[in-house]
């Protein structure tokens, strides 16, 4: 069962020991806005999937991060989130992975759940049409001897 959270309240996510971020809920509006981000649209068609994933994660994080704890500058002074500091934070591999796993993948998991429950062409959830066709038997040819 899909549980709706009608509060849409921001939540804190732990990304590393001592580092946590407060993020907006991952909504359709947020994803659509991120997809039309000028940085995403400027990614070249020759870019690898990995380059696209990093660009998308950074664009999403720039929209989603509201606050954080445990993030500082080179002198150890706490800093507030800014587009540049959010990008720099996601350049740290374990942080990027944690962001993907704790935030982005939740939306993707929901998408997988939706895809996993399609109607069956037979059985109790009859309704889907079969897309596979039975294989044709190869024609027999006479042996030459």
């Amino acid at each position: 069962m899909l549980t709706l959270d009608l509060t849409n309240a921001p939540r804190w996510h732990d990304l590393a020991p001592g580092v946590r971020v407060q993020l907006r809920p991952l909504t359709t509006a947020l994803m659509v806005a991120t997809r039309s981000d000028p940085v995403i649209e400027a990614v070249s068609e020759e870019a690898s999937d990995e380059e696209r994933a990093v660009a998308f994660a950074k664009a999403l994080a720039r929209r989603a991060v509201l606050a954080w704890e445990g993030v500082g500058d080179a002198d150890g002074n706490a800093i507030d989130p800014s587009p540049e500091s959010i990008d720099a934070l996601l350049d740290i591999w374990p942080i990027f992975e944690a962001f993907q796993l704790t935030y982005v993948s939740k939306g993707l998991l929901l998408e997988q759940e939706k895809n996993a429950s399609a109607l069956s062409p037979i059985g109790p959830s009859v309704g889907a049409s079969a897309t596979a066709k039975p294989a044709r038997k190869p024609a027999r040819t006479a042996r030459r001897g």
Side-chain angles (χ1 to χ4, degrees), residues 53-137:
V54 169
F56 188 83
K58 288 181 176 182
L60 180 60
R62 287 191 296 272
R63 285 178 165 71
V65 173
L66 299 172
W68 59 28
E69 295 175 355
V71 180
D73 62 16
D75 297 324
N77 301 314
I79 58 172
D80 291 327
S82 69
E84 296 79 20
S85 61
I86 291 169
D87 285 357
L89 182 67
L90 287 183
D91 280 337
I92 301 168
W93 177 252
I95 299 291
F96 173 82
E97 281 291 296
F99 179 76
Q100 293 287 81
L101 289 171
T102 63
Y103 186 64
V104 179
S105 69
K106 290 189 179 192
L108 299 178
L109 287 174
L110 180 59
E111 191 68 25
Q112 287 177 350
E113 286 177 16
K114 179 176 74 175
N115 290 336
S117 59
L119 294 173
S120 169
I122 58 172
S125 62
V126 172
S129 57
T131 57
K133 295 182 180 176
R136 296 175 70 181
K137 291 184 180 179

Side-chain angles (χ1 to χ4, degrees), residues 6-85:
L6 300 178
T7 64
N8 260 351
R11 293 208 170 86
W12 286 95
H13 298 266
D14 294 321
L15 299 183
V19 176
R20 67 186 201 140
V21 293
Q22 185 182 41
L23 300 168
R24 298 179 196 280
L26 187 59
T27 62
T28 300
L30 188 61
M31 290 297 283
V32 169
T34 302
R35 286 183 181 158
S36 59
D37 185 289
V39 172
I40 300 301
E41 291 179 347
V43 173
S44 77
E45 290 187 25
E46 292 82 31
S48 69
D49 289 343
E50 292 80 12
E51 291 169 318
R52 290 177 191 279
V54 169
F56 188 83
K58 288 181 176 182
L60 180 60
R62 287 191 296 272
R63 285 178 165 71
V65 173
L66 299 172
W68 59 28
E69 295 175 355
V71 180
D73 62 16
D75 297 324
N77 301 314
I79 58 172
D80 291 327
S82 69
E84 296 79 20
S85 61

